[in-house]
Amino acid sequence: CFVREVRSQEAEAPRLNLLDQLQPLPGLPGLGGEDLSLHAEFRMAEGAREGRLAITAMIGQGWHLYSITQKSGGPMRSVIKVAPSEQFEVIGSFQPNRPPKIKNYEFFSVPVEEHDGELVWTAPIKLKQSVDPATLEIKINFEGQVCQDSGVCIPKQETLTARFAGTYEVA
């Protein structure tokens, strides 16, 4: 009877998943706070149907992510995909507001393109004639990974919704 009871307790014991069990330690670089926070919005050129779709990445201290132009043979590149829509079109590719840092690692066959800190990718968009920017929602999928120099990496997959954030003057 005692053996049966022990077995039933063992069977009910939860399985440990270390990633689920680890908690960030506040105040330690690379171990505390957010590793990556993403935000999306779009702005329209004043008096025009064209605008800019922007994705802002806030990369936590001690972390980095890989560029959208990272070559094969290196780490997992960041991928930004805008959901197709009848209301608008993306009329150019996403560009970062600053170039990535280029590093060489012996275990990758190509240079590694890393971003840290705050980064903004923008792409030009054009709305269809009848679309009200104030009601438009643009769905975006982000896939990538954030890593520490020590080699710890966390895969990221997020769906973002970009909403109208105002206009800008065309210079």
Side-chain angles (χ1 to χ4, degrees):
C1 185
F2 178 74
V3 173
R4 243 186 244 151
E5 189 174 312
V6 169
R7 285 184 184 157
S8 68
Q9 286 177 346
E10 285 176 2
E12 293 174 14
R15 292 181 153 207
L16 291 180
N17 179 337
L18 286 179
L19 284 178
D20 292 339
Q21 302 300 318
L22 292 175
Q23 295 296 318
L25 302 173
L28 294 178
L31 294 176
E34 282 281 326
D35 49 26
L36 177 64
S37 173
L38 297 168
H39 171 77
E41 66 179 29
F42 69 94
R43 295 180 182 272
M44 300 302 296
E46 201 163 306
R49 302 304 295 167
E50 290 87 24
R52 294 184 199 128
L53 177 57
I55 300 166
T56 301
M58 296 296 296
I59 305 160
Q61 183 167 350
W63 295 90
H64 59 267
L65 57 78
Y66 301 104
S67 78
I68 58 176
T69 57
Q70 175 63 53
K71 292 186 179 15
S72 296
M76 186 170 106
R77 80 175 53 117
S78 296
V79 178
I80 300 169
K81 292 182 182 174
V82 179
S85 173
E86 296 289 322
Q87 298 181 309
F88 70 93
E89 64 180 307
V90 179
I91 56 175
S93 60
F94 279 96
Q95 299 295 319
N97 63 331
R98 58 186 168 81
K101 295 176 182 173
I102 307 297
K103 295 186 177 180
N104 291 296
Y105 295 100
E106 60 189 46
F107 42 87
F108 289 121
S109 61
V110 297
V112 174
E113 302 175 5
E114 298 178 359
H115 289 288
D116 58 10
E118 182 175 342
L119 178 69
V120 181
W121 292 286
T122 56
I125 60 172
K126 184 173 185 176
L127 304 189
K128 302 294 181 186
Q129 242 355 71
S130 61
V131 176
D132 178 4
T135 61
L136 179 62
E137 292 185 345
I138 300 174
K139 300 291 183 191
I140 303 159
N141 288 319
F142 174 86
E143 289 185 39
Q145 63 182 356
V146 290
C147 298
Q148 297 174 321
D149 286 336
S150 66
V152 173
C153 292
I154 301 172
K156 294 291 180 175
Q157 185 172 358
E158 278 192 50
T159 300
L160 307 167
T161 301
R163 293 182 177 84
F164 182 59
T167 60
Y168 60 91
E169 288 186 29
V170 179

